[in-house]
């Protein structure tokens, strides 16, 4: 017969065993993983951004708030970013960690030039985005899409007695000479996308004939791809060629413009983000790329830019038209245009003069 003292001892031993077991399980489930977790990445990054300043500024501020990683940026057009990275790589003085924005043509061209970092595996958030929006070799990852369009200022056209142009070939007509703005394809990813569009739509000789006439007859050829839409909205020119989301932003801001997609077909982009090869702050740069590909950053960017996200769980902006409902160029030779960018631009310079 067990005495009352023995019973108490047995109870205490049992309780001790239970407590030890609970501690062991808790250690396995919580404490050990906590101690073994990777240390949070600290430091700072420099971003070369091809998206608008107010967009990148808001994105970087949120990124710093959520991660503690400081971020600075330099705003340039996509072509200017590529030229700057080439110059930095040539001297071995890499200053940037990330390229944010710009069409896939430019990202593919930078990949070909050895300017981008190759990931062993895609960032975790990239798994939530269809693979068609990413480089299959893991150099760049798409976070938005868009299509080229005409910005039309109907009031200005009416005063000039001009009908709305319906397509690319309309712009080659004498009556439109000097009445539209289109960016420089040497500096602007938007304009280079237009050039690649024409080279995809038409046989080579016809494409260069149309392209040379369009750029020769332009009233303005600014460096930045969004500038023609702004010139159209303010009435400086009745027509501007830009990405539709840049026109939509102006429309939503109250400017009296409309979006017209070229009847023959139009070019499109996957806007990319990539880590620069030789980035001074590699781990922090990788954190940023993964963060940009996430839902929260994707929604903020879409709300600011009116661009369509590559993520299915991001609510699209009002007034946007999905690519599936636009007459885009189906056989868009964008990889060819990326691989032959230098030669194509030399031909453009010779054709335009």
């Amino acid at each position: 017969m067990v005495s009352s003292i023995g019973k108490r001892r047995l109870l205490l031993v049992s309780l001790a065993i239970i407590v030890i077991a609970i501690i062991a399980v808790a250690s396995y489930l919580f404490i050990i993983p906590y101690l073994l977790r990777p240390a949070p990445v600290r430091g700072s990054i420099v971003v070369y951004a091809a998206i608008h300043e107010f967009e990148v500024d808001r994105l970087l501020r949120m990124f710093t708030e959520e991660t503690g990683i400081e971020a600075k940026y330099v705003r340039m057009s996509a072509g200017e970013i590529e030229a700057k990275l080439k110059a930095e790589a040539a001297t071995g003085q890499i200053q940037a960690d990330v390229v944010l924005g710009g069409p896939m043509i430019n990202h593919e061209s930078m990949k070909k030039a050895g300017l981008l970092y190759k990931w062993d595996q895609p960032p975790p958030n990239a798994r939530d985005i269809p693979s068609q929006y990413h480089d299959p070799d893991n150099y760049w990852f798409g976070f938005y899409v868009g299509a080229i369009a005409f910005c039309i200022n109907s009031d200005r056209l009416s005063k000039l007695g001009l009908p709305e142009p319906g397509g690319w070939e309309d712009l080659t007509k004498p009556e439109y000479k000097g009445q539209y703005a289109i960016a420089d394809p040497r500096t602007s990813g938007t304009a280079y996308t237009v050039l690649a569009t024409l080279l995809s739509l038409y046989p080579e000789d016809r494409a260069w004939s149309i392209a040379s006439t369009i750029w020769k007859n332009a009233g303005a050829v600014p460096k930045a791809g969004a500038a023609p839409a702004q010139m159209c909205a303010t009435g400086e020119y009745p027509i501007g060629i830009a990405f539709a989301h840049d026109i939509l932003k102006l429309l939503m801001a109250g400017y009296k413009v409309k979006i017209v997609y070229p009847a023959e077909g139009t070019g499109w982009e996957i806007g990319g983000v990539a880590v620069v090869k030789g980035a001074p702050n590699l781990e922090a740069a990788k954190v940023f790329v993964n963060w940009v590909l996430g839902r929260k950053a994707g929604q903020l960017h879409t709300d600011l830019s009116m661009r369509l996200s590559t993520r299915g769980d991001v609510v699209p902006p009002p007034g946007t038209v999905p690519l599936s409902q636009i007459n885009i160029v189906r056989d868009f030779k964008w990889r060819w245009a990326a691989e032959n960018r230098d030669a194509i631009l030399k031909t453009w310079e010779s054709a335009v003069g």
Side-chain angles (χ1 to χ4, degrees):
M1 183 174 178
V2 181
S3 67
S4 59
I5 295 176
K7 288 181 179 179
R8 285 198 298 272
R9 286 178 178 173
L10 182 60
L11 178 61
L12 290 172
V13 170
S14 299
L15 288 173
I17 292 172
I18 292 171
V19 169
I20 291 170
I22 291 172
I23 292 172
V25 171
S27 297
Y28 179 78
L29 293 177
F30 304 107
I31 299 174
I32 292 176
Y34 177 81
L35 294 174
L36 294 178
R37 79 194 190 287
V41 176
R42 300 298 181 192
S44 62
I45 58 171
V46 174
V47 176
Y48 285 175
I51 60 176
H52 296 288
E53 288 196 25
F54 74 93
E55 297 166 15
V56 67
D57 182 70
R58 286 282 302 278
L59 283 168
L60 295 191
R61 279 194 281 129
M62 179 185 281
F63 171 70
T64 298
E65 289 170 2
E66 294 190 357
T67 66
I69 299 172
E70 296 294 327
K72 298 179 181 179
Y73 72 91
V74 180
R75 166 68 178 91
M76 292 177 278
S77 293
E80 293 175 306
I81 290 174
E82 184 170 351
K84 185 164 176 55
L85 288 180
K86 284 181 178 178
E88 291 178 8
T91 61
Q93 300 294 319
I94 305 298
Q95 299 177 38
D97 299 294
V98 174
V99 177
L100 178 65
M104 72 279 194
I105 294 179
N106 293 91
H107 283 267
E108 193 70 13
S109 179
M110 288 185 282
K111 166 189 167 181
K112 177 177 176 288
L115 302 174
L116 302 183
Y117 169 81
K118 178 180 173 64
W119 295 64
D120 293 331
Q121 297 291 333
N125 283 333
R127 299 167 192 163
D128 299 327
I129 299 172
S131 60
Q132 70 205 55
Y133 297 120
H134 300 321
D135 170 43
D137 297 321
N138 296 330
Y139 283 93
W140 58 266
F141 305 91
F143 67 107
Y144 65 86
V145 295
I148 296 290
F150 295 167
C151 178
I152 302 295
N153 187 319
S154 298
D155 289 344
R156 285 279 285 123
L157 278 177
S158 179
K159 289 176 182 177
L160 292 167
L162 290 173
E164 292 181 2
W168 300 111
E169 295 185 40
D170 285 342
L171 296 181
T172 66
K173 296 176 180 178
E175 56 263 38
Y176 291 105
K177 185 175 182 178
Q179 301 300 335
Y180 58 87
I182 183 170
D184 189 324
R186 294 169 296 187
T187 57
S188 163
T190 303
Y192 191 71
T193 301
V194 172
L195 184 54
T197 299
L198 297 173
L199 291 169
S200 298
L201 274 173
Y202 298 98
E204 186 174 2
D205 289 347
R206 179 64 175 153
W208 280 114
S209 175
I210 293 172
S212 62
T213 303
I214 285 176
W215 267 281
K216 283 180 179 178
N217 287 355
V221 184
K223 285 186 175 182
Q230 295 163 351
M231 292 175 171
C232 173
T234 57
E236 189 174 351
Y237 292 94
I239 305 162
I241 293 87
F243 275 110
H245 47 252
D246 288 323
I247 307 169
L248 182 60
K249 277 199 294 285
L250 296 165
L251 182 62
M252 299 300 288
Y255 288 96
K256 294 181 179 180
V257 294
K258 64 185 293 187
I259 298 170
V260 172
Y261 295 101
E264 303 95 334
T266 195
W268 47 275
E269 70 167 335
I270 301 170
V273 60
V275 173
V276 176
K277 184 177 181 180
N281 305 286
L282 176 60
E283 293 307 315
K286 291 167 74 173
V287 171
F288 178 77
V289 168
N290 184 58
W291 181 86
V292 163
L293 296 174
R295 190 200 64 79
K296 188 174 181 180
Q299 190 65 64
L300 175 62
H301 174 253
T302 289
D303 293 343
L304 292 171
S305 69
M306 308 302 287
R307 296 183 179 99
L308 286 165
S309 175
T310 54
R311 292 186 62 97
D313 54 1
V314 168
V315 179
T320 53
V321 180
L323 293 185
S324 60
Q325 296 179 23
I326 299 170
N327 181 26
I328 60 172
V329 179
R330 302 297 169 180
D331 185 23
F332 191 27
K333 301 173 183 176
W334 65 269
R335 290 190 187 277
W336 169 82
E339 292 170 0
N340 296 279
R341 185 172 182 272
D342 291 344
I344 289 171
L345 288 176
K346 284 182 180 178
T347 303
W348 178 87
E349 289 174 342
S350 298
V352 174

